[in-house]
Amino acid sequence: MEKIFEKLNESQASAVKQSEGPVLILAGAGSGKTTTIVSRLAYLVGVLGIPASNTLTLTFTNKAAKEMRERAFHLMQNPSSPPLLCTFHKFGLLFLKFNIHLLKRQNNFVVIDTDDKKRIIKKINSEIATPLIASEISRYKNSLLSPDDAYKQAEFFNYQQIAKIYEEYETYLLENNLVDFDDLIALTFKLLDENPELARATSQKYQYIMVDEYQDTNELQLKLLQKLCTTHNNICVVGDDDQSIYGWRGAHIRNIMEFDQDFKDTAVFKLEENYRSREPILKVANALIEHNRSRLGKKLISTRGGGEDITILNSSDENEEARKIAQKITKLLDSGVKAQDIAVLYRVNVLSRSIEEGLNRAKIAYKLVGGLRFYDRAEVKDLISYIRVITNVHDDFSLKRILNKPKRGLGKASVDKLELAAHEAQLSIFEYIKSSSLSDLESLVKSKNAKTLKKFIQNVQDVAKLAGESTYSFIDTLEETFHLKEIYAGMPDEAERVLNMDEFYGLFREFVKNTPEASLDEFLNELTLQSEQDQVEGESIYMMSIHASKGLEFNHIFIIGLEEGFLPLIGDGSDLEEERRLGYVSFTRAKETLTLSHVDSRFYKGRRSDLQKSRFFNEAGLCEGSLIVEKNTAFKKGDLVRHKVFGTGRVNGVSKSGQEFKLSINFAGTKKDILASFVERL
């Protein structure tokens, strides 16, 4: 017990000891949130004697889950059974593995990632923008709307088309035994909602629930948590309303603001002592966030004392900005600062280009977090597709990707013929090739290609058999059988691609070494759950968006683009309070020094524009100037609204109009610009 409490302050200790009923821990940036969560878990298990298997701790990234798991184990000193500590999506994956049969689906499903989802959608319909369809399907699932419900709700032809695409997409997933990211939570909730006994049993199993980063939860995640609390009210959530920055992807700040209304008799604890940042950094962060009205209210207090004042860089343009930042980073590196202790942050991804060029000129190694992810590279996707086919030969989507990799003389027309024939025979493509005679195949493809296809099918079966016997040697046999590195022979970037493949093979061996009992589809599902923050490691400075920096910390932070229109982003559905929270998050990533940069002009979207310094300098008390006051808008692009004369319409755009916001609205085909105060959101 002493070990648990020795490093906790009074507020943290009080929160840890409040074991029963709903608990809201408002944890400011750098206030020891993770320490409090793992200490509370250790207290429940090691002091109160709650079986670890009766606890459930949920978070949002694999990186956070791994860190919390390691720290909790250290405090608990080898519990008899491990507590379940994972992301929401990992919990959904585990739950579905055991219960998806209740939906009359098989439990050897494969989780598809965003890229796979878009490819499937594009195949169904290439006329409507794929990102729009993907976003709407995600919205439908998070609102628990079936394709039927979506069609009935659609007031415009365009959205009726999307509802039909949604129906075909769902059919495709079912036929190929696939689930997407949204399904992991939506199907879990559906099972609990439709099976009260299962909800009771699951709730009884997880008697004590803790949720990290609660301000990032959406409506569906709240509903899931309420189901998990069917038989008790022991839910403890930790979060910071001032760090709610994911409204654009469905996170609901009301979940943390109104937690005490969702779970009655809530005990509230505030963690305000900051262990990360020097006093000058917290002074500007506190001053900035105090301008927000929608907050529960707290003030960060530094435990680390004074430090360097905030540095403000003003440059004429983005090239001068890049030169100045490169010079400052070079000076830090020359003084002995480690590269990985430095990060450059920005609100808009496109701003990274000029800084990248400046760092390249200065020969400073950097890593772009949130750039093309390792697992999104074509050569790695090919390897993953091979493994998917070996684990599930009926996965037509993956099979089509690899059918001509390496080249087997099959063009798009040949693959289309095979797919059509398989569809007419009501078989998967793999089963159709396997069961067809050579003469049948030769009616669709050339004679030598028919033989090659037969050999390919046999090879897949042989490798699949070996995978069942020895997972570790499987990866070598995969390469030896299919010669996958030859796909890229002669390409200009062959060496880089082969290196990436070798890296993947190494990752696979490491996974098998660490989890020898794991199956191939478990490996695939772990890959799909990787997140941007899992990239942060190595000897280079980091560049990333403010969104990607959430949860991270660096000794030295440079924030670029502090201009009106970039930070804060204005118009097009932006929310000034969320923009301010983004500023607050970016400031509080810094431990030792914070440098804020703004320019007089930038080349952006094909032209050079003069820019005004961000209002955040003034609000943070860093300069004098007139305070910019404007009405906030809750409206975003895509919202359905009602006007008392024009009826129901959908918002296509949001822009400033004096002290008001102007909405561009499509009323059943008629487009009108209306001031926000004259409509209500549906």
Side-chain angles (χ1 to χ4, degrees):
M1 188 165 172
E2 285 176 12
K3 188 178 180 183
I4 292 171
F5 288 99
E6 65 184 0
K7 290 183 180 177
L8 301 184
N9 62 39
E10 194 177 326
S11 300
Q12 292 170 328
S14 300
V16 164
K17 289 175 184 173
Q18 182 67 46
S19 61
E20 305 304 303
V23 177
L24 169 61
I25 302 174
L26 281 175
S31 63
K33 166 178 68 75
T34 305
T35 299
T36 307
I37 293 175
V38 296
S39 299
R40 192 173 188 276
L41 182 56
Y43 179 74
L44 289 171
V45 176
V47 178
L48 299 187
I50 308 298
S53 57
N54 289 146
T55 68
L56 170 63
T57 306
L58 297 170
T59 184
F60 279 86
T61 68
N62 294 309
K63 184 175 181 290
K66 184 176 180 233
E67 182 193 347
M68 287 161 65
R69 199 178 298 116
E70 287 169 357
R71 287 171 65 173
F73 269 55
H74 174 68
L75 277 178
M76 283 190 279
Q77 297 176 325
N78 303 318
S80 54
S81 61
L84 184 52
L85 203 163
C86 60
T87 64
F88 270 93
H89 290 95
K90 182 67 181 283
F91 173 74
L93 174 65
L94 296 170
F95 185 84
L96 292 179
K97 281 285 178 186
F98 286 103
N99 299 293
I100 201 167
H101 65 277
L102 295 171
L103 295 173
K104 298 187 169 45
R105 293 175 67 164
Q106 296 173 311
N107 72 350
N108 65 337
F109 59 83
V110 166
V111 185
I112 61 169
D113 62 17
T114 307
D115 190 42
D116 297 326
K117 177 181 177 179
K118 287 178 178 174
R119 285 173 191 268
I120 295 167
I121 289 168
K122 195 157 192 165
K123 184 180 181 306
I124 295 168
N125 183 294
S126 57
E127 292 174 15
I128 302 175
T130 302
L132 170 66
I133 301 170
S135 167
E136 284 298 298
I137 288 175
S138 187
R139 187 174 66 81
Y140 294 147
K141 291 195 177 190
N142 280 286
S143 302
L144 300 170
L145 296 175
S146 68
D148 239 14
D149 297 330
Y151 192 81
K152 285 171 190 166
Q153 271 198 12
E155 297 192 24
F156 308 117
F157 177 66
N158 203 29
Y159 284 88
Q160 289 174 350
Q161 281 184 297
I162 292 174
K164 294 300 283 181
I165 296 164
Y166 176 30
E167 183 177 39
E168 288 184 54
Y169 171 77
E170 284 295 271
T171 301
Y172 186 95
L173 294 192
L174 280 167
E175 286 176 352
N176 291 280
N177 200 23
L178 306 172
V179 301
D180 64 21
F181 246 46
D182 296 311
D183 286 330
L184 292 175
I185 297 175
L187 293 180
T188 296
F189 173 79
K190 182 179 167 73
L191 279 163
L192 293 171
D193 192 45
E194 293 177 357
N195 299 275
E197 278 304 317
L198 178 62
R200 275 193 288 275
T202 308
S203 180
Q204 281 165 358
K205 176 174 173 56
Y206 301 115
Q207 288 282 323
Y208 291 85
I209 296 169
M210 285 194 284
V211 186
D212 185 22
E213 304 287 10
Y214 190 68
Q215 77 282 345
D216 295 338
T217 55
N218 62 24
E219 188 180 357
L220 181 55
Q221 286 159 338
L222 168 61
K223 286 182 175 179
L224 174 61
L225 291 169
Q226 288 173 322
K227 285 292 173 191
L228 293 173
C229 290
T230 298
T231 63
H232 62 80
N233 234 5
N234 298 326
I235 178 167
C236 170
V237 303
V238 186
D240 184 359
D241 52 319
D242 292 332
Q243 294 188 73
S244 178
I245 59 172
Y246 295 114
W248 52 276
R249 72 177 187 200
H252 245 310
I253 192 171
R254 62 93 32 220
N255 287 2
I256 193 164
M257 299 290 288
E258 299 176 13
F259 178 79
D260 59 345
Q261 294 175 37
D262 295 325
F263 299 92
K264 301 298 179 192
D265 302 319
T266 294
V268 181
F269 299 89
K270 290 184 182 182
L271 308 185
E272 297 175 301
E273 290 180 54
N274 176 284
Y275 298 92
R276 176 188 297 156
S277 307
R278 295 287 182 184
E279 200 171 305
I281 296 167
L282 295 187
K283 184 181 176 184
V284 296
N286 283 327
L288 175 66
I289 203 64
E290 276 175 8
H291 287 80
N292 270 5
R293 295 172 198 150
S294 302
R295 62 190 297 255
L296 295 166
K298 65 183 170 327
K299 193 162 189 171
L300 294 178
I301 303 155
S302 177
T303 60
R304 299 191 61 220
E308 289 185 33
D309 286 339
I310 308 306
T311 301
I312 298 175
L313 283 185
N314 174 223
S315 308
S316 59
D317 61 21
E318 68 275 13
N319 297 315
E320 185 186 344
E321 176 184 58
R323 279 197 304 276
K324 285 181 177 177
I325 287 177
Q327 285 167 4
K328 284 190 164 292
I329 290 173
T330 300
K331 197 173 174 183
L332 284 171
L333 294 171
D334 289 346
S335 72
V337 171
K338 290 182 180 176
Q340 64 263 37
D341 289 336
I342 304 168
V344 180
L345 309 183
Y346 36 81
R347 169 69 177 91
V348 183
N349 282 315
V350 74
L351 296 189
S352 72
R353 182 194 56 80
S354 57
I355 300 293
E356 285 187 72
E357 289 172 2
L359 295 176
N360 283 328
R361 282 193 292 271
K363 295 185 168 49
I364 297 170
Y366 66 88
K367 185 165 188 176
L368 193 65
V369 177
L372 185 63
R373 291 171 64 234
F374 178 76
Y375 298 106
D376 288 337
R377 298 178 190 276
E379 59 274 20
V380 177
K381 294 286 278 184
D382 290 341
L383 288 171
I384 293 169
S385 293
Y386 262 94
I387 299 175
R388 280 182 169 173
V389 169
I390 285 159
T391 61
N392 175 15
V393 294
H394 306 301
D395 182 351
D396 283 357
F397 180 73
S398 298
L399 184 78
K400 283 187 293 178
R401 183 181 177 99
I402 62 170
L403 211 46
N404 204 41
K405 289 182 179 181
K407 288 193 174 3
R408 298 186 178 93
L410 298 167
K412 185 178 182 303
S414 298
V415 175
D416 287 347
K417 284 180 192 173
L418 285 168
E419 187 177 21
L420 181 62
H423 182 72
E424 287 173 353
Q426 295 187 317
L427 295 169
S428 65
I429 298 173
F430 186 99
E431 280 296 322
Y432 178 79
I433 298 170
K434 181 184 170 187
S435 61
S436 296
S437 65
L438 268 175
S439 59
D440 283 343
L441 286 176
E442 284 166 359
S443 68
L444 300 172
V445 298
K446 291 175 185 173
S447 176
K448 65 173 184 178
N449 297 342
K451 287 173 186 166
T452 305
L453 281 172
K454 281 288 191 184
K455 186 184 176 187
F456 169 73
I457 295 298
Q458 188 56 54
N459 284 343
V460 169
Q461 289 177 308
D462 292 343
V463 175
K465 187 181 175 192
L466 178 79
E469 296 165 1
S470 169
T471 313
Y472 192 82
S473 57
F474 155 77
I475 206 77
D476 294 318
T477 309
L478 182 73
E479 178 59 36
E480 288 161 12
T481 306
F482 295 106
H483 309 292
L484 301 179
K485 290 180 183 176
E486 289 178 14
I487 299 171
Y488 304 101
M491 288 189 179
D493 56 356
E494 177 186 356
E496 185 184 342
R497 288 180 184 266
V498 170
L499 275 173
N500 287 333
M501 293 173 81
D502 286 335
E503 177 77 358
F504 180 87
Y505 291 156
L507 287 165
F508 179 87
R509 292 188 189 100
E510 191 69 11
F511 175 81
V512 176
K513 202 165 115 185
N514 293 335
T515 52
E517 302 304 316
S519 63
L520 284 181
D521 65 347
E522 284 175 284
F523 171 69
L524 290 171
N525 289 331
E526 282 295 323
L527 288 191
T528 311
L529 297 175
Q530 295 292 330
S531 72
E532 281 183 355
Q533 289 186 9
D534 296 327
Q535 299 177 40
V536 178
E537 58 188 351
E539 289 292 326
S540 56
I541 74 158
Y542 291 105
M543 293 182 57
M544 67 190 84
S545 69
I546 297 170
H547 283 102
S549 75
K550 175 84 173 7
L552 303 176
E553 59 182 32
F554 298 89
N555 283 342
H556 306 279
I557 288 282
F558 294 81
I559 305 170
I560 64 169
L562 272 137
E563 300 105 24
E564 289 293 299
F566 287 102
L567 184 61
L569 202 62
I570 298 168
D572 197 26
S574 63
D575 176 339
L576 183 58
E577 295 221 342
E578 185 154 315
E579 292 298 306
R580 209 173 269 119
R581 292 195 290 269
L582 275 163
Y584 175 81
V585 165
S586 64
F587 290 5
T588 54
R589 298 311 94 200
K591 295 165 75 175
E592 298 293 334
T593 70
L594 175 62
T595 301
L596 307 178
S597 173
H598 69 98
V599 298
D600 299 330
S601 79
R602 281 191 193 280
F603 190 78
Y604 181 61
K605 290 187 176 177
R607 63 191 178 91
R608 181 158 296 283
S609 302
D610 291 332
L611 298 168
Q612 187 182 347
K613 182 164 62 174
S614 171
R615 72 191 72 190
F616 291 171
F617 284 106
N618 178 35
E619 293 182 355
L622 288 165
C623 68
E624 291 182 5
S626 59
L627 188 64
I628 302 171
V629 180
E630 64 178 36
K631 291 185 181 178
N632 187 15
T633 178
F635 295 103
K636 289 184 171 63
K637 191 175 178 180
D639 283 350
L640 271 178
V641 294
R642 180 181 287 123
H643 186 275
K644 60 185 176 185
V645 174
F646 304 121
T648 302
R650 190 172 291 275
V651 177
N652 287 336
V654 184
S655 58
K656 278 299 303 302
S657 177
Q659 295 297 306
E660 257 274 29
F661 278 88
K662 181 174 69 179
L663 308 180
S664 175
I665 307 171
N666 185 335
F667 293 102
T670 304
K671 293 179 181 175
K672 291 186 179 293
D673 289 340
I674 305 284
L675 291 176
S677 55
F678 286 83
V679 296
E680 60 177 349
R681 187 158 65 167
L682 295 180

